[in-house]
Amino acid sequence: MRGMDGAWVGWGGKADLDIEPFDFDGTRLVPVSLSEAELRDYYEGFSNGTIWPLYHDVIATPEFKRSWWDAYVRVNRRFAEAAAEAVAEGGFVWVQDYQLQLVPQMVRELRPDVTIGYFHHIPFPAYALYAQLPWRRQVLEGLLGADVIGFQRVADAGNFQRSIRRLLHYPTKGDTVTVPTIDDQQRTVIAKSYPISIDVDAFLELARKPEVIARAKELREQIGSAKLMLGVDRLDYTKGIRHRLKAYGELLADGHLTGEQATLVQIASPSRPGVEAYQDLRDEIEKTVARINGDYSSVETTAIRYLHQGYPREEMVALYLAADVMLVTALRDGMNLVAKEYVAVRQDNTGVLVLSEFAGAADELGSALLVNPHDIEGMKDIMMRALSMPEAEQARRMKTMRKKVIDNDVARWGRNFVADIEHIRDARRNA
């Protein structure tokens, strides 16, 4: 951080883009350049071909390539050097997510005067899965360079601590890990859950705009069906889109639903088109949608409206307002903020959230209809229950969830994390 405004160290967004640091809106922006080869090996390779599937319960098979690991180390060091140069004396460096797990220790080596936080936005796997990683010790040691390590769920923090005990044999107690230092001393690292959230006020402001409300009404009229079910996801194999389509397709095939009674709008925004697994997933989903629409649509209605594109936030809020049922059926998800966005904007307390028990949001939104997306029959039952839920029950459940989301917004998430950073910093100063 520099003064009160701080610096943001990040990739410039394009291969081989070499830009000098510059100031924008009170913040120092420090671009880090990555080559085409590094994007392939570090980002598409190790980050998303190794860590992403491994940390998401091996839903897809991770690949362990040494060349990918070498690129990951090299790029992490470049980010660490940029952060170490940007941070003020005695400042605070906050590292974000699984692409940079080695950065905390690298920054500590370069700048022992600073306090370091790390937040892990995706799940942290059980030890039996994590142990597959050939560089498992190096990653743990990299993360333990931080003073505070944040996870989405209590279970994720527990998985991390179990890996620490099994592989590094460091003692843990409650939310802390005791880490030995090179001078035969020790330091305490906080490792616990800080469930991330959304900017509630921004979503509420959009939901009150007359043009957004009018757009929601227009969407309902265009859909034509009695009920609108909505899925909003990145096109990713962790999101359970295939399972959702299978359940809905079987409801149509069984005669429990018709396209006139309920339409599924599925938005799947493009994601990692350079990764083969994602190309295959897109092909499979589009074939499934085409088959269901061919069998169960009519001239007047379309069973599934599938949209492989991203949309501005205003359009998303209009869709949230239009949807009777929100389907969040991830096979594994660190949090899933779509669930919280939907709940936040339902100011009339109508609507039903169907939420995977394997999404981090399930820990907080227990009044949703929780579902195991692997259980297709169970998901079909839950979808039918959601479509027929009385308004009184909708209101009771939604009020409880909205209070949770509003009370625990993203600002509170940040304050809670920084408070623990300040606690560590104060303890160091008083030592």
Side-chain angles (χ1 to χ4, degrees):
M1 304 291 285
R2 289 194 172 186
M4 295 299 292
D5 295 325
W8 181 267
V9 179
W11 176 49
K14 185 178 179 181
D16 299 308
L17 189 64
D18 195 5
I19 303 175
E20 290 297 315
F22 60 97
D23 295 319
F24 178 77
D25 199 22
T27 299
R28 185 70 167 169
L29 300 183
V30 184
V32 174
S33 179
L34 300 178
S35 67
E36 287 278 8
E38 286 169 339
L39 287 173
R40 182 189 66 237
D41 293 342
Y42 151 75
Y43 182 72
E44 293 181 355
F46 194 80
S47 294
N48 294 311
T50 303
I51 293 296
W52 182 267
L54 180 66
Y55 283 28
H56 285 85
D57 293 352
V58 197
I59 294 169
T61 303
E63 296 185 64
F64 304 113
K65 293 187 178 182
R66 286 170 289 180
S67 59
W68 288 1
W69 167 253
D70 292 341
Y72 188 79
V73 174
R74 184 169 62 253
V75 171
N76 270 245
R77 187 164 300 283
R78 192 176 306 153
F79 274 92
E81 290 170 349
E85 184 177 350
V87 66
E89 182 71 24
F92 164 43
V93 175
W94 195 353
V95 184
Q96 301 290 331
D97 220 2
Y98 66 102
Q99 299 95 339
L100 301 172
Q101 293 176 99
L102 306 181
V103 167
Q105 181 59 30
M106 291 174 173
V107 171
R108 180 165 297 280
E109 292 169 356
L110 293 168
R111 292 292 303 273
D113 59 295
V114 303
T115 310
I116 303 166
Y118 171 90
F119 188 76
H120 196 76
H121 291 260
I122 68 173
F124 195 91
Y127 175 75
L129 296 177
Y130 180 76
Q132 297 178 33
L133 184 66
W135 308 277
R136 56 198 186 183
R137 292 179 62 92
Q138 294 95 313
V139 169
L140 292 179
E141 289 166 350
L143 292 171
L144 287 173
D147 296 288
V148 178
I149 306 171
F151 299 92
Q152 300 280 25
R153 307 181 83 165
V154 172
D156 294 326
N159 287 341
F160 174 75
Q161 292 203 19
R162 277 186 286 276
S163 292
I164 293 295
R165 292 194 296 269
R166 292 287 296 272
L167 291 170
L168 302 182
H169 308 294
Y170 296 166
T172 66
K173 183 178 181 181
D175 294 329
T176 64
V177 181
T178 301
V179 180
T181 60
I182 57 175
D183 56 359
D184 293 328
Q185 300 296 312
Q186 60 187 31
R187 61 186 184 87
T188 298
V189 174
I190 295 174
K192 70 178 189 180
S193 66
Y194 303 83
I196 201 169
S197 194
I198 62 172
D199 184 349
V200 173
D201 289 342
F203 278 93
L204 288 176
E205 183 180 350
L206 283 175
R208 296 183 183 119
K209 285 188 172 183
E211 58 268 33
V212 173
I213 295 171
R215 177 58 177 159
K217 183 179 179 181
E218 180 185 13
L219 288 168
R220 284 307 302 261
E221 292 172 350
Q222 290 175 349
I223 294 299
S225 297
K227 296 283 187 177
L228 191 163
M229 296 193 291
L230 176 64
V232 176
D233 311 88
R234 283 191 309 104
L235 185 63
D236 192 287
Y237 50 75
T238 66
K239 301 300 184 181
I241 301 173
R242 289 175 291 196
H243 299 64
R244 186 182 312 159
L245 294 177
K246 184 174 180 61
Y248 177 63
E250 288 191 9
L251 286 173
L252 295 171
D254 296 342
H256 296 306
L257 274 182
T258 66
E260 289 77 18
Q261 292 172 319
T263 290
L264 171 60
V265 175
Q266 177 61 58
I267 294 176
S269 58
S271 177
R272 300 166 188 159
V275 179
E276 185 177 357
Y278 290 79
Q279 298 168 1
D280 294 342
L281 176 66
R282 179 180 179 182
D283 290 344
E284 181 183 349
I285 287 175
E286 291 181 354
K287 288 177 183 177
T288 301
V289 170
R291 177 182 57 78
I292 292 173
N293 278 337
D295 289 342
Y296 303 109
S297 294
S298 67
V299 173
E300 294 81 12
T301 60
T302 303
I304 301 174
R305 303 212 177 189
Y306 173 75
L307 303 159
H308 180 60
Q309 51 195 285
Y311 287 90
R313 183 176 287 185
E314 291 82 357
E315 185 76 354
M316 295 311 306
V317 171
L319 279 163
Y320 293 153
L321 293 177
D324 299 287
V325 177
M326 185 80 220
L327 300 174
V328 178
T329 59
L331 306 181
R332 192 76 164 92
D333 220 337
M335 176 53 62
N336 195 289
L337 296 180
V338 165
K340 294 187 175 184
E341 292 168 4
Y342 178 74
V343 167
V345 304
R346 302 298 299 199
Q347 297 173 85
D348 62 358
N349 292 315
T350 63
V352 182
L353 174 63
V354 174
L355 178 60
S356 168
E357 60 191 69
F358 304 120
D363 286 1
E364 298 174 274
L365 304 181
S367 293
L369 292 183
L370 298 182
V371 65
N372 172 5
H374 299 282
D375 177 7
I376 300 301
E377 287 297 330
M379 187 148 61
K380 288 160 62 178
D381 291 342
I382 289 290
M383 290 167 72
M384 291 301 295
R385 182 180 170 190
L387 289 167
S388 61
M389 183 179 290
E391 288 192 0
E393 184 179 354
Q394 292 182 33
R396 175 175 57 80
R397 290 173 176 272
M398 192 60 72
K399 282 179 182 177
T400 302
M401 292 189 290
R402 291 194 75 245
K403 184 177 189 308
K404 191 77 173 182
V405 171
I406 291 169
D407 289 348
N408 296 281
D409 65 356
V410 71
R412 184 170 182 177
W413 168 78
R415 288 194 301 270
N416 289 342
F417 193 98
V418 172
D420 280 344
I421 285 288
E422 292 297 336
H423 175 76
I424 289 283
R425 180 182 285 172
D426 290 344
R428 179 185 295 169
R429 288 170 178 165
N430 296 330

